[in-house]
Amino acid sequence: MYEWIWQKHAHSFEEMSNLSKDLRQKLSEAFILPALTIDTTQFSSDGTIKNRFKTFDGHKIEGVLIPTEERKTACVSSQIGCSLSCKFCATGYMDRKRNLDYDEIYDQVVLINKQSEEVHQKKLTNIVFMGMGEPLMNYTNVLKAIERISAEDGLGMSQRRITVSTAGVAKQIKKLGEDKVRFKLALSLHAANDVKRNEIMPINEANNIRSLVEALNYFYKQTGNEITFEYILFKNFNDSLKDAEELIKLYRQVPADLINIIEYNPIDNFRFTKPDDEGFTNFMGHLEKNRVNVRLRHSRGKDIDAACGQLANKNKE
């Protein structure tokens, strides 16, 4: 049964064909397998695929397959809704219903991997915890899911190919270091000073930039794992050369490998817009001139609300 559930990914006892029919019948009557199912699927013009999954108790979450020539990446959720209320994120306007159990997170990866094999004839190469919810506020289940994903009797994927993204929970970042995790860490930064970060990310009031710098340095000292800054560029808010200078200073305080500059994807209720091409060029050029390793991360799946910050169960029926 263990093999059927974790390696063959059976979603019912009936599928366990090497068990007797009588035993399968008795198991079905006495137990349930609370497996995730795909509720709806949407296909973007750029090849991105968004799935709305349904949990055994009727909740809905979203996960995305992001294909490129080199990579097939699953973007998975860790909570049903979110409690952090980041102003630029559609999930932040939803109530947090509950944490996802580790098997529900695992099921997302299994189903997206199956999708990748069917559509692209290739298995997943990478997993990012950048979907709905704050992974470090569901710490135990996220780590247990990653353990199952990387286990030989699970999916057998290297933890070096997994990135957990956090809005910045300093205490839990330190705990990751203490637990000597092997996956990569991404900090959703989006502003390099506390005043601006407080405005768009309320979590910063209890986890200010100074505490995050300390936590990230501790994490790196304990693990040596790759750290990335994620920085959405908002027009006339965090895109000036002064903002770039503040970001450079912060970058030099942390052993970060990379700053990902991200295009803002519009959502309802948020007043900001993204800069024009010149704004991106000037901002990134200033970082590069100061020897910052920076990359522009283009949005994928905008036409189906599957891009960064857009997940909010808005799939069409």
Side-chain angles (χ1 to χ4, degrees):
M1 283 183 66
Y2 187 92
E3 186 180 336
W4 274 108
I5 291 169
W6 295 111
Q7 290 179 274
K8 297 182 179 178
H9 315 304
H11 279 198
S12 70
F13 294 108
E14 191 53 42
E15 293 172 53
M16 300 179 183
S17 54
N18 61 348
L19 302 183
S20 72
K21 199 167 184 180
D22 281 352
L23 178 55
R24 280 180 277 164
Q25 181 67 32
K26 286 176 182 175
L27 288 169
S28 297
E29 288 169 2
F31 303 101
I32 61 162
L33 282 178
L36 218 59
T37 56
I38 294 179
D39 188 49
T40 61
T41 301
Q42 287 179 278
F43 297 85
S44 167
S45 57
D46 64 19
T48 301
I49 303 174
K50 181 172 78 167
N51 301 285
R52 183 169 70 193
F53 300 110
K54 192 172 184 180
T55 64
F56 75 98
D57 55 350
H59 291 297
K60 300 197 177 142
I61 54 163
E62 293 182 331
V64 183
L65 171 61
I66 308 165
T68 65
E69 282 297 317
E70 305 82 30
R71 296 181 173 193
K72 303 294 178 276
T73 302
C75 175
V76 298
S77 296
S78 54
Q79 295 180 306
I80 300 166
C82 188
S83 59
L84 296 189
S85 304
C86 296
K87 305 301 183 195
F88 49 83
C89 178
T91 313
Y93 291 88
M94 302 170 65
D95 292 333
R96 188 191 73 83
K97 302 295 185 185
R98 66 171 174 84
N99 287 334
L100 288 172
D101 288 332
Y102 75 96
D103 54 292
E104 293 173 316
I105 298 170
Y106 182 84
D107 276 355
Q108 288 177 76
V109 178
V110 167
L111 291 168
I112 296 173
N113 184 58
K114 184 180 177 186
Q115 210 165 51
S116 182
E117 289 180 317
E118 289 171 354
V119 176
H120 301 287
Q121 293 73 55
K122 289 183 180 176
K123 292 181 182 292
L124 290 174
T125 60
N126 297 80
I127 300 168
V128 294
F129 281 75
M130 296 181 181
M132 303 168 87
E134 166 53 58
L136 298 192
M137 296 187 88
N138 187 14
Y139 191 95
T140 302
N141 283 308
V142 166
L143 262 63
K144 197 167 181 182
I146 290 172
E147 181 189 310
R148 287 276 82 235
I149 290 163
S150 59
E152 284 187 20
D153 59 353
L155 290 175
M157 180 177 280
S158 168
Q159 290 196 22
R160 301 291 182 193
R161 293 186 170 273
I162 299 172
T163 301
V164 171
S165 177
T166 177
V169 189
K171 182 181 175 184
Q172 299 299 77
I173 292 171
K174 285 184 174 180
K175 185 162 169 46
L176 290 175
E178 288 162 3
D179 287 339
K180 299 289 195 292
V181 300
R182 289 177 287 137
F183 49 78
K184 300 174 184 177
L185 186 65
L187 175 67
S188 293
L189 185 63
H190 313 313
N193 69 61
D194 286 322
V195 173
K196 288 186 178 182
R197 203 163 187 267
N198 286 347
E199 186 176 336
I200 59 173
M201 300 180 73
I203 189 176
N204 194 71
E205 292 171 14
N207 295 266
N208 64 23
I209 289 174
R210 185 175 177 180
S211 71
L212 293 175
V213 167
E214 182 189 337
L216 289 169
N217 277 290
Y218 182 82
F219 169 82
Y220 185 80
K221 184 179 178 183
Q222 297 300 316
T223 67
N225 293 355
E226 188 175 307
I227 297 170
T228 303
F229 285 160
E230 308 282 322
Y231 193 94
I232 300 173
L233 218 54
F234 301 116
K235 187 175 182 179
N236 299 328
F237 179 72
N238 66 352
D239 62 340
S240 70
L241 292 187
K242 184 186 174 193
D243 292 306
E245 277 295 323
E246 289 179 336
L247 184 54
I248 291 163
K249 285 177 186 172
L250 188 54
Y251 176 78
R252 288 177 180 159
Q253 293 175 54
V254 175
D257 292 77
L258 174 71
I259 297 176
N260 271 325
I261 302 297
I262 304 171
E263 295 177 321
Y264 169 60
N265 304 298
I267 63 166
D268 299 338
N269 306 317
F270 191 57
R271 70 181 191 276
F272 289 133
T273 57
K274 71 175 184 178
D276 55 23
D277 290 344
E278 186 181 356
F280 276 95
T281 302
N282 291 342
F283 191 88
M284 291 184 66
H286 191 72
L287 297 181
E288 287 167 348
K289 189 171 70 177
N290 285 273
R291 299 186 301 282
V292 171
N293 185 21
V294 60
R295 178 177 62 195
L296 177 61
R297 205 174 88 198
H298 291 286
S299 295
R300 303 287 303 275
K302 283 189 284 190
D303 55 334
I304 57 169
D305 292 318
C308 178
Q310 290 187 318
L311 300 186
N313 289 335
K314 286 173 70 176
N315 299 48
K316 294 168 186 171
E317 298 296 340

